Amino acid sequence: MIYALEVTIKSLPFLLEGALRTLQITSLAVLLGLIIGTFVGMARLSKHKLLRYPATVYVEFLRGTPLLVQIFIIYFGLPAVGLNIPRYPSGIIALGINSGAYIAEIVRAGIQSIPKGQTEAAKSLGMTYWQTMRYIILPQAFRNILPALGNEFIALTKDSSLVSVIAIRELLRSGQIVISRTYQSFAVYIAVALIYFVMTFIMSRIVRWTEKKVTVS
Amino acid sequence: MNKFESEPILIIKDLWKSFGNLEVLKGINLEVYKAEVIVVIGPSGGGKSTLLRCINHLEKYDRGEIWFQGELVDEKSTDMNKLRTKIGMVFQQFNLFPHLKVIDNLTLAPKVVKKIDENSAREKAEKLLKRVGLVDKMNEYPTKLSGGQQQRVAIARALMMDPVLMLFDEPTSALDPELVGEVLEVMKSLAKEGMTMIVVTHEIGFAREVSDRVVFMDGGVIVEAGPPEQIFKQPQHPRTKEFLRKVL
Ligand SMILES: Nc1ncnc2c1ncn2[C@@H]1O[C@H](COP(=O)(O)OP(=O)(O)O)[C@@H](O)[C@H]1O
Ligand SMILES: [Mg+2]
């Protein structure tokens, strides 16, 4: 018991390094997801079928298939057709493409939450679709969806543990490495869980704070 | 000299519009001359807003022609965004941009649409805000302003684009009664300076005092049109009479 605790404490710096990598991967994935999600979310609301249908297929497919399978397709599947993407980018891309589908739905709801009068006022001043989106709709929409995006970040922090299967040394993988050396699986997995919890707990507090700020104004 | 000697700046010919099965405009004909102030009155649902929205093409119409400044406005050949810079619109619900300060509400479109530099845009905005009596509010956010102040900002915002025609869709209907006057004052001064205006309103006093012509719309058609004295004192059509009995 004492030994298990000792081992865990000793391995803490190594685990925290993994946690940092988890945050890094999640941040980059959310950033990618945000870019994808913004365009796909807009395309979902387009009056052109050629934009709307592919966007719908994207969202439905990525939300309707397991993230683990998506990771395998990108890391193990793509090389089979001649496209080799290194480990880390693979993980980030898989997570980013996946969260892009969820963020697209958030963005879509955000855009729809802005009253029609805003678009009409912008149009009546001669602004194009892109100018209206860029200066009027998206800034207001993003303000409204900030809490939802925060929750997506939290969800992805946890989901990012799945990329441990392609040997990316994030938090879970770091824990497994410690266990393979020390055999203290119970204590180390508990420590890993606690670190995830501390991270998501802090994040959810921040989300709650932004929620209040958004509703106040 | 008669101020309406020249060509009309807006000609609407046989304009038809329906939403699904609902026919909202059924053959509207209207000519608007430079510096003319037209007031459109009529019962709710008569198609007044739809008519205004067809003029700046916020709404597509089904049939008919709209000529603006001697050119046929056409979906295929006309740049609608460019057209809209010449037609200002003021909405019942103001529709200010809540995430931008008053000053930025005014300067945004000139900057991004007309590529006017920041300094000239600000200078012009301050001038217009002075004119509507709100230069001291320029760094406020719109939600901090009263309805009357918001609507005055909205008018100034539309004027930033130097429109040749201004459309007002019930600009005072959402306001508390004590705030209506300040908005009408701004509109009156605009009319005096020779702005061409089409105003949908229930403010009969404004129509009497300011308009050159009153148009009574009901059921998607222009039932009757003429100078305010004629429409208000000697309406010809029974529907006009009935409507005026209710509002006067
Ligand atoms: N976007 C729309 N879709 C369906 N019906 C509409 C739409 N806009 C207006 N209408 C209908 O068209 C009719 C005329 O509306 P409107 O032009 O707003 O009249 P007014 O401004 O004179 O009150 C109303 O019956 C209204 O319900
Ligand atoms: Mg109306």
Side-chain angles (χ1 to χ4, degrees):
Chain A
M1 188 63 209
I2 304 277
Y3 175 68
L5 209 63
E6 232 179 73
V7 164
T8 312
I9 289 168
K10 251 195 207 146
S11 64
L12 216 49
F14 185 74
L15 291 179
L16 288 177
E17 216 174 283
L20 209 60
R21 175 119 326 132
T22 286
L23 285 179
Q24 202 179 54
I25 290 169
T26 305
S27 303
L28 289 170
V30 167
L31 194 67
L32 178 63
L34 214 48
I35 295 166
I36 296 173
T38 302
F39 286 105
V40 174
M42 282 162 63
R44 288 271 272 165
L45 293 170
S46 170
K47 53 180 191 279
H48 303 291
K49 284 180 190 157
L50 269 167
L51 289 172
R52 205 169 62 234
Y53 287 174
T56 305
V57 169
Y58 178 89
V59 169
E60 296 292 335
F61 185 78
L62 278 130
R63 296 200 310 175
T65 52
L67 175 53
L68 190 57
V69 175
Q70 293 164 19
I71 293 168
F72 282 178
I73 290 175
I74 288 182
Y75 188 64
F76 299 118
L78 288 184
V81 292
L83 191 60
N84 272 293
I85 306 172
R87 212 181 285 287
Y88 276 97
S90 282
I92 290 164
I93 289 169
L95 291 172
I97 287 177
N98 179 270
S99 81
Y102 290 89
I103 291 176
E105 289 302 271
I106 296 173
V107 168
R108 179 170 77 126
I111 292 173
Q112 283 175 317
S113 75
I114 307 303
K116 240 182 118 212
Q118 292 290 302
T119 308
E120 294 184 344
K123 270 178 146 182
S124 79
L125 291 164
M127 291 169 75
T128 63
Y129 170 81
W130 286 107
Q131 289 166 342
T132 303
M133 275 294 160
R134 158 83 177 74
Y135 296 104
I136 306 301
I137 305 303
L138 291 180
Q140 295 186 63
F142 274 113
R143 206 191 141 81
N144 290 350
I145 64 179
L146 212 54
L149 290 175
N151 286 330
E152 175 59 23
F153 194 99
I154 293 171
L156 204 65
T157 302
K158 292 182 283 179
D159 287 348
S160 71
S161 60
L162 283 170
V163 300
S164 61
V165 296
I166 57 172
I168 290 179
R169 206 185 279 182
E170 41 66 76
L171 177 52
L172 177 58
R173 182 70 182 173
S174 303
Q176 288 166 338
I177 291 168
V178 172
I179 291 164
S180 70
R181 287 192 208 127
T182 63
Y183 305 105
Q184 293 299 323
S185 50
F186 183 71
V188 172
Y189 277 138
I190 291 288
V192 164
L194 278 175
I195 296 173
Y196 274 115
F197 177 71
V198 167
M199 290 196 294
T200 58
F201 184 77
I202 292 171
M203 289 175 204
S204 71
R205 289 293 125 150
I206 296 172
V207 168
R208 225 195 263 175
W209 178 76
T210 61
E211 235 162 22
K212 269 194 207 129
K213 286 219 87 171
V214 169
T215 46
V216 158
S217 45
Chain B
M1 193 184 101
N2 187 330
K3 71 176 179 181
F4 307 135
E5 260 173 21
S6 52
E7 281 284 293
I9 64 169
L10 179 74
I11 303 173
I12 298 171
K13 278 188 189 163
D14 195 31
L15 193 72
W16 289 74
K17 166 75 184 173
S18 54
F19 292 108
N21 290 328
L22 182 70
E23 287 204 320
V24 176
L25 299 179
K26 305 178 200 167
I28 298 287
N29 290 288
L30 186 66
E31 294 186 351
V32 183
Y33 291 84
K34 189 154 176 41
E36 197 178 13
V37 176
I38 293 191
V39 163
V40 182
I41 58 170
S44 167
K48 305 181 297 296
S49 298
T50 306
L51 174 61
L52 288 195
R53 295 159 57 80
C54 283
I55 292 171
N56 71 351
H57 295 258
L58 282 183
E59 210 75 72
K60 272 189 190 149
Y61 48 88
D62 307 329
R63 255 188 310 137
E65 290 177 359
I66 295 181
W67 293 73
F68 183 69
Q69 292 189 306
E71 275 177 57
L72 181 65
V73 178
D74 180 70
E75 283 290 327
K76 284 162 216 140
S77 57
T78 309
D79 179 350
M80 291 303 165
N81 299 313
K82 204 163 170 198
L83 174 86
R84 292 194 190 106
T85 64
K86 297 179 198 160
I87 304 177
M89 189 167 207
V90 175
F91 303 85
Q92 185 175 344
Q93 298 299 337
F94 329 132
N95 295 344
L96 292 180
F97 306 132
H99 61 303
L100 300 177
K101 288 177 179 169
V102 165
I103 182 85
D104 300 319
N105 263 274
L106 266 68
T107 57
L108 178 67
K111 282 194 297 193
V112 306
V113 176
K114 287 193 165 174
K115 316 284 180 223
I116 290 173
D117 69 90
E118 172 81 34
N119 283 340
S120 338
R122 279 188 77 94
E123 221 170 274
K124 187 168 185 177
E126 284 179 30
K127 226 181 267 170
L128 282 168
L129 284 174
K130 228 173 248 161
R131 181 170 163 182
V132 300
L134 288 170
V135 76
D136 55 321
K137 302 286 184 203
M138 102 184 157
N139 289 315
E140 297 281 7
Y141 283 92
T143 46
K144 288 271 177 345
L145 306 184
S146 73
Q149 291 171 332
Q150 289 192 46
Q151 195 60 299
R152 280 144 68 199
V153 171
I155 294 172
R157 180 178 68 179
L159 292 175
M160 284 294 287
M161 304 305 281
D162 295 319
V164 296
L165 170 66
M166 284 284 287
L167 309 173
F168 294 84
D169 192 0
E170 301 201 29
T172 59
S173 293
L175 297 178
D176 292 334
E178 72 272 18
L179 301 177
V180 168
E182 63 192 55
V183 173
L184 292 182
E185 278 312 311
V186 169
M187 291 167 62
K188 278 179 203 168
S189 80
L190 205 55
K192 277 204 194 90
E193 282 167 36
M195 175 60 77
T196 314
M197 299 162 57
I198 304 178
V199 183
V200 175
T201 186
H202 298 300
E203 296 292 331
I204 302 301
F206 175 84
R208 275 211 178 100
E209 189 183 335
V210 182
S211 75
D212 298 295
R213 209 151 31 113
V214 174
V215 171
F216 174 66
M217 260 185 94
D218 189 11
V221 296
I222 293 179
V223 177
E224 191 170 349
E229 315 84 62
Q230 182 195 315
I231 298 292
F232 293 129
K233 295 220 177 81
Q234 292 147 342
Q236 301 300 306
H237 202 284
R239 270 147 82 190
T240 320
K241 286 178 192 164
E242 193 197 325
F243 176 75
L244 287 173
R245 215 177 18 250
K246 279 184 206 145
V247 299
L248 284 179

